[in-house]
Amino acid sequence: MRDDVVIREADAGDYQGWLPLWEGYNAFYGREGETALPEAITRQTWARFLDGAEPMTALVAEREGRLIGLAHAIRHRSSTRLADVCYLQDLFTLPEARGRGVARALIDAVCRLAKATGCDRVYWQTHQTNHTARALYDKVAEHKGFIVYGRDLPM
């Protein structure tokens, strides 16, 4: 990664720079237009990052005063470990930042933060067709072979 990129925790003043990254991340996974997340989810997610009582953290990658990447992490208990674990839920960089070490730096920063907050594992998932990201993930972590299922519940 280039020396002019800074990885840091997001702060309240980052919302306008974070929002296009968040929208880009969601668009990548098909959540745009008619399928976009409701604005209330975006507002609540951002508020959680800023609430010190929440186990959620947003990291941003910044170059020359512009946000070029994000990573969102959630610390939680595990039934198979004594220490907490950290779920790297969202990772996204602008297209022009890709291939420059920004995503790797964000992953490394999440790992440092997780360790500093008592976690002994960081894990994440991606779509099977996300070959670009998987090429990086195969270099920095071990694919454990799990397949993820989800079931939305009616409210």
Side-chain angles (χ1 to χ4, degrees):
M1 184 178 73
R2 297 175 44 173
D3 292 335
D4 61 344
V5 176
V6 175
I7 307 295
R8 60 176 177 77
E9 285 193 47
D11 61 46
D14 288 324
Y15 183 78
Q16 292 304 318
W18 169 86
L19 185 58
L21 295 168
W22 175 241
E23 290 171 343
Y25 171 79
N26 282 297
F28 181 83
Y29 284 108
R31 295 183 297 260
E32 62 182 334
E34 290 184 11
T35 60
L37 291 177
E39 186 179 336
I41 291 176
T42 294
R43 283 194 314 268
Q44 180 65 40
T45 297
W46 181 254
R48 287 175 175 160
F49 295 144
L50 302 179
D51 183 344
E54 288 282 349
M56 297 177 72
T57 303
L59 298 179
V60 292
E62 180 179 29
R63 182 176 54 223
E64 298 175 358
R66 179 177 179 227
L67 299 187
I68 60 171
L70 63 74
H72 301 151
I74 304 170
R75 295 170 309 283
H76 64 88
R77 303 268 188 241
S78 171
S79 62
T80 61
R81 295 172 179 266
L82 294 174
D84 287 351
V85 295
C86 179
Y87 175 47
L88 171 55
Q89 185 171 18
D90 311 312
L91 179 67
F92 182 79
T93 63
L94 292 176
E96 63 264 25
R98 295 178 188 155
R100 301 178 184 268
V102 177
R104 180 187 292 251
L106 283 162
I107 292 169
D108 290 345
V110 167
C111 290
R112 287 191 302 275
L113 179 66
K115 186 172 180 69
T117 57
C119 297
D120 70 355
R121 180 172 186 250
V122 174
Y123 69 100
W124 60 94
Q125 62 185 6
T126 193
H127 196 273
Q128 65 183 357
T129 61
N130 192 354
H131 301 291
T132 301
R134 291 182 68 192
L136 169 61
Y137 301 161
D138 287 342
K139 293 175 187 170
V140 301
E142 178 187 355
H143 182 272
K144 301 283 189 177
F146 285 90
I147 298 170
V148 177
Y149 289 86
R151 182 174 174 179
D152 292 339
L153 305 175
M155 299 303 283

